[in-house]
Amino acid sequence: MFAPPINRLITELARFPGIGQRTAQRLAFHILRASDEEAFALADAIREVKEKVGQCEVCFNLATEATCRICQDDRRDAHVLCVVEEPSDVIPIERTNEFSGRYHVLGGALSPIDGVDPEDLHMAELLDRAGQNGVREVVVATNATTTGEATALYIADELRRSAPQVSVTRLASGLPVGSDLEYADEITLGRALRSRREL
Ligand SMILES: [Zn+2]
């Protein structure tokens, strides 16, 4: 229907999460209408991010140098590690201003059905870091999904064996702030009840 270069652009845009064929077409026409300057700025930004952003060699967060800015920051407590699935999970935790330790990005969650085994994640590196001198707590902040929960249990088991001196904690899950009890689903409400605390 379109000239091959336009088809190619639509095909590439349609690969983005949440972007269907029609949205991809709309975006492609937006790019065609844009000035050369605007369109090339987008192309350059994509190239630059792929060329300059890599992985922190300590925690596997995104980094533009050998290590990320959090690992480089001496004020961050190196004795507490927060384990997350993806680099994008670091941002919401940082936004809370409640965590001053370091991170460890696994690169996904365990899912034997999809063929994701511990070797496919940065699991060995986590066990290695947790076993190092001075680490006293590992906060498991994997997602509250089946695979995230399975990953959390696996980490707790492994650490009990390899680093029993380290306490392993899991993020509490509970009710969203500002929400009414009657709208909470039973799983969330059940968990909130189980992880209740003294007032
Ligand atoms: Zn790092």
Side-chain angles (χ1 to χ4, degrees):
M1 194 146 89
F2 301 112
I6 303 174
N7 266 332
R8 181 181 165 200
L9 180 59
I10 294 170
T11 306
E12 294 302 325
L13 290 168
R15 292 183 208 276
F16 283 95
I19 305 290
Q21 278 296 322
R22 297 192 57 142
T23 310
Q25 270 181 36
R26 247 198 334 265
L27 291 171
F29 280 99
H30 173 80
I31 292 168
L32 283 165
R33 266 196 314 271
S35 66
D36 285 3
E37 197 185 13
E38 201 182 328
F40 293 145
L42 172 64
D44 288 347
I46 293 173
R47 182 170 295 280
E48 187 181 22
V49 87
K50 293 308 288 178
E51 283 172 354
K52 294 198 178 152
V53 182
Q55 271 184 345
C56 172
E57 58 187 30
V58 176
C59 75
F60 305 98
N61 190 7
L62 298 177
T64 52
E65 294 170 51
T67 52
C68 72
R69 283 159 64 177
I70 294 171
C71 287
Q72 286 172 12
D73 186 346
D74 292 333
R75 291 165 303 179
R76 306 286 303 221
D77 188 350
H79 305 129
V80 183
L81 304 178
C82 178
V83 183
V84 293
E85 293 182 18
E86 301 291 345
S88 54
D89 298 330
V90 169
I91 297 151
I93 297 176
E94 282 298 286
R95 272 203 213 111
T96 65
N97 286 317
E98 294 281 342
F99 182 69
S100 57
R102 313 274 176 121
Y103 289 92
H104 190 90
V105 180
L106 290 173
L110 291 176
S111 180
I113 309 166
D114 304 310
V116 184
D117 297 311
E119 310 82 76
D120 302 309
L121 305 174
H122 299 296
M123 195 65 86
E125 293 92 337
L126 168 65
L127 301 178
D128 194 44
R129 282 181 82 192
Q132 280 165 17
N133 250 346
V135 173
R136 59 171 191 274
E137 183 181 358
V138 169
V139 183
V140 185
T142 51
N143 293 330
T145 55
T146 320
T147 55
E149 294 295 346
T151 308
L153 289 177
Y154 178 87
I155 291 169
D157 272 354
E158 290 293 312
L159 285 177
R160 248 192 297 280
R161 212 168 328 145
S162 67
Q165 73 284 3
V166 174
S167 83
V168 184
T169 55
R170 178 94 174 101
L171 291 191
S173 50
L175 300 167
V177 171
S179 69
D180 286 345
L181 279 194
E182 62 174 314
Y183 299 125
D185 66 275
E186 58 272 33
I187 296 174
T188 304
L189 191 51
R191 273 201 198 163
L193 201 50
R194 281 200 299 281
S195 42
R196 68 187 181 276
R197 59 190 172 73
E198 196 121 18
L199 283 173

